[in-house]
Amino acid sequence: MKTLKLGLVTEGKTDQVVLRELLTAVVKRRGEALTLEFRDLQPTADRTSEGGLEMVYKWCLNNPPEERANRFQRDGLFAGLSQNNSFDAIIIHLDGDSCDHPRISMLMPDSAIPLPDASATDRGDFVERTLNHWLWTLHPTWDGIKDLRQIPAPAVEMTETWLVAGLCEDFAPEESKEILRRLVELDFSLKNKVAPKDAKQVKKERENYRRLSMAAANQIDRILSCYYFNQLVSRILMLASC
């Protein structure tokens, strides 16, 4: 049984929960001879704030490519961790709704920002280019080749999209702008209740998202129909096969 150690850089702690549960479910569903181990890098377990887009940006800025590469290696270290906690790869996540962030034009200069009514493909492509810019172009001294162990992970419009995809049949979540409200409705439905009209989103707590992720994972094939989730899975499995 092979073990793949993955570091997680995400906008928030609940995004880490979603990635852990769904990626683990994919591996089990496919019967892969593979175990995934995760370590939260941003936000770290001791952080009290969620983090957000700008914290992902700062993490990329404060960890240049050469340092990241050294820290991935089995014989390297990551931010003072022991050798046993070095990583095979790092997943760097960003939500598609970051296109609407008021500071995105300053954090991603010289690039056309998709409008709110742009297609999921256009918004996801922009987020992936943003992550690649932060990981590589942002560092002018770097002149190497992109490391495939540093995996950009866009989520259109957000990681909650993947939960809705698993929990709701006959719904195109990547084209919806009402994901948070839809997730509330599905959450109450799982409890055989009706969501209050003024409920806008599920409370951002790890346990809530773990419960919803485990329920959504029962229909992991529907989640794999989300392009960027499928792409993330493909990249991880490719690394595992090396």
Side-chain angles (χ1 to χ4, degrees):
M1 178 74 73
K2 183 171 184 177
T3 298
L4 202 65
K5 294 187 176 183
L6 302 172
L8 296 178
V9 176
T10 66
E11 288 195 46
K13 295 179 181 180
T14 55
D15 299 308
Q16 293 166 343
V17 172
V18 173
L19 286 165
R20 285 170 182 261
E21 296 294 336
L22 297 188
L23 291 175
T24 299
V26 169
V27 169
K28 290 182 179 178
R29 173 73 172 80
R30 295 191 173 190
E32 299 282 344
L34 176 66
T35 298
L36 300 180
E37 292 184 2
F38 299 91
R39 181 78 178 231
D40 299 336
L41 302 179
Q42 165 55 43
T44 53
D46 58 350
R47 286 191 65 87
T48 56
S49 64
E50 276 294 285
L53 171 149
E54 293 191 57
M55 294 305 294
V56 175
Y57 167 80
K58 288 179 181 178
W59 187 92
C60 295
L61 179 66
N62 294 333
N63 292 276
E66 296 87 350
E67 292 183 20
R68 296 195 304 263
N70 290 334
R71 292 166 178 175
F72 291 151
Q73 296 167 359
R74 289 288 188 170
D75 58 350
L77 300 179
F78 194 97
L81 300 178
S82 70
Q83 284 189 326
N84 291 333
N85 286 320
S86 58
F87 305 104
D88 296 295
I90 289 185
I91 296 170
I92 305 94
H93 149 265
L94 198 63
D95 282 337
D97 64 1
S98 62
C99 298
D100 309 322
H101 192 281
R103 291 197 64 221
I104 193 63
S105 60
M106 289 179 278
L107 302 179
M108 181 59 172
D110 303 322
S111 183
I113 301 171
L115 297 172
D117 60 353
S119 70
T121 300
D122 287 344
R123 288 168 73 82
D125 179 67
F126 174 80
V127 172
E128 185 160 23
R129 284 188 285 114
T130 297
L131 286 171
N132 278 316
H133 175 78
W134 293 354
L135 286 168
W136 311 107
T137 313
L138 193 63
H139 304 276
T141 60
W142 174 78
D143 60 357
I145 299 172
K146 290 180 182 178
D147 191 333
L148 296 179
R149 296 172 298 170
Q150 302 177 37
I151 307 174
V156 181
E157 282 288 292
M158 54 195 69
T159 54
E160 284 87 351
T161 297
W162 302 337
L163 300 183
V164 172
L167 293 170
C168 183
E169 195 172 3
D170 300 325
F171 185 63
E174 286 193 324
E175 298 294 343
S176 173
K177 299 296 188 291
E178 300 296 330
I179 290 298
L180 295 178
R181 170 61 190 180
R182 189 71 184 104
L183 186 59
V184 170
E185 294 170 348
L186 291 166
D187 184 27
F188 273 83
S189 179
L190 289 172
K191 304 170 188 174
N192 295 316
K193 297 180 180 179
V194 177
K197 291 183 179 180
D198 60 348
K200 295 181 179 179
Q201 66 181 60
V202 174
K203 192 171 183 179
K204 287 269 189 178
E205 293 181 348
R206 283 180 179 265
E207 206 48 51
N208 284 339
Y209 274 73
R210 185 172 291 108
R211 173 175 49 79
L212 289 167
S213 297
M214 292 174 67
N218 291 324
Q219 298 294 336
I220 198 66
D221 288 341
R222 288 208 296 254
I223 303 174
L224 284 165
S225 69
C226 295
Y227 174 79
Y228 287 102
F229 181 73
N230 194 309
Q231 181 172 263
L232 172 61
V233 168
S234 297
R235 289 173 173 173
I236 291 171
L237 294 181
M238 180 182 69
L239 285 174
S241 67
C242 296

